[in-house]
Amino acid sequence: MKPLILVTNDDGYRAPGLAALKDAISDLGDVIVVAPDREMSACGHGITIKGPLRVERIDPFTFAVEGTPADCVILALAQILPRKPDVVLSGINRGANLGDDVYYSGTVGGAREAAFWGLPSAALSLATRGEGSFENAARVSREVLSELLRKPLAAGVLLNVNVPDRSELKGARVTRQGMRRHGSKINETSDTRGRRFYWIAEPTDVWDGDPSDDITAVREGYVSMTPLGKDTTDRMTAVDEAERFARAEVVSAK
Ligand code: MN
């Protein structure tokens, strides 16, 4: 039996990045797409619980969901797929998912949901600010899939892959998640009736610039591969620094 590959994304089931991924992997297994029916970028790991999830069967292998990528994965695993998939891929996203992006990203949210279910998964992104060319990213995605099929990472770990948008890649690096210095810019403007409205601007790229992080790798022309775990406990502070909260008088049992 051929491996079963579930594909989702946050750019919508008609996105060119998803088509490029499908084309690149179609001979490696049976590919089923369960993806949002529209663009859902920056929806993070959100799920829909206050309304119905409508699903449209586009063809026997493609399902469009009125929901988030995490919704898609849950529906696929619990309802749509005939059996447990061997690998879940999310992407290829148009735009990088580096550093703190992994919390906002619907692409990563979909892959993380699969990791929650103990399935091998990867979030795949093309680090571009424009339309971008998915050719290299599709080839890299195929390699990642082959490797996951050959030997998955530990259960609960997802691989966050970012491919630079350039014709010549220098190679690939295993990286750590980078940090961005925050300070969101807001663009203020008004509508035709003079009411003010606001846009959260693309964050300006100010990074800590750790040479081992994901953003540095992509900037230097390398594919970045970051293994992400679901436990986000800060072990540096959890033990010592946070201990005083547990000792605080207000929470002590009397
Ligand atoms: Mn997106």
Side-chain angles (χ1 to χ4, degrees):
M1 197 160 39
K2 274 177 143 186
L4 181 61
I5 318 297
L6 170 64
V7 170
T8 192
N9 74 353
D10 78 356
D11 293 338
Y13 76 97
R14 282 173 296 206
L18 188 145
L21 174 62
K22 249 174 53 180
D23 284 351
I25 64 171
S26 57
D27 61 315
L28 295 180
D30 293 324
V31 179
I32 296 197
V33 174
V34 183
D37 63 353
R38 69 198 75 180
E39 188 180 334
M40 294 295 293
S41 292
C43 69
H45 199 142
I47 56 169
T48 304
I49 52 168
K50 292 202 170 168
L53 281 178
R54 294 196 170 81
V55 182
E56 192 185 345
R57 184 175 170 279
I58 307 297
D59 63 46
F61 314 103
T62 311
F63 299 81
V65 178
E66 202 181 336
T68 67
D71 285 332
C72 292
V73 170
I74 293 168
L75 259 183
L77 299 180
Q79 185 70 31
I80 297 171
L81 295 184
R83 60 180 197 274
K84 207 171 85 168
D86 296 279
V87 173
V88 180
L89 299 177
S90 185
I92 303 168
N93 188 61
R94 174 175 279 156
N97 281 306
L98 299 161
D100 301 339
D101 293 342
V102 304
Y103 293 103
Y104 301 111
S105 166
T107 307
V108 175
R112 193 188 294 108
E113 183 60 37
F116 281 3
W117 289 60
L119 296 170
S121 71
L124 308 163
S125 303
L126 175 66
T128 183
R129 291 201 174 269
E131 293 290 297
S133 163
F134 287 99
E135 210 179 307
N136 278 331
R139 210 174 52 240
V140 169
S141 301
R142 182 188 164 85
E143 293 305 315
V144 168
L145 173 60
S146 306
E147 196 55 33
L148 284 175
L149 287 170
R150 197 180 68 80
K151 190 169 189 280
L153 289 164
V157 177
L158 68 106
L159 196 64
N160 185 34
V161 180
N162 281 270
V163 181
D165 186 20
R166 51 160 82 185
S167 48
E168 308 241 320
L169 299 174
K170 286 200 193 158
R173 270 189 206 160
V174 173
T175 54
R176 50 184 290 281
Q177 186 189 333
M179 307 272 180
R180 182 193 288 145
R181 288 175 213 157
H182 282 261
S184 276
K185 256 189 71 188
I186 300 291
N187 292 338
E188 182 183 325
T189 179
S190 11
D191 65 19
T192 49
R193 295 182 181 182
R195 280 179 305 208
R196 240 170 265 169
F197 65 87
Y198 304 90
W199 283 102
I200 298 178
E202 275 267 308
T204 41
D205 274 351
V206 185
W207 299 84
D208 285 353
D210 185 317
S212 65
D213 75 15
D214 49 9
I215 179 67
T216 305
V218 167
R219 276 201 178 147
E220 293 179 356
Y222 292 86
V223 176
S224 165
M225 299 185 174
T226 316
L228 298 178
K230 57 183 179 176
D231 178 359
T232 59
T233 310
D234 186 339
R235 298 189 191 286
M236 298 296 287
T237 62
V239 182
D240 340 311
E241 179 60 16
E243 194 57 42
R244 62 193 165 88
F245 292 91
R247 283 197 309 263
E249 196 65 26
V250 284
V251 292
S252 65
K254 282 257 160 76

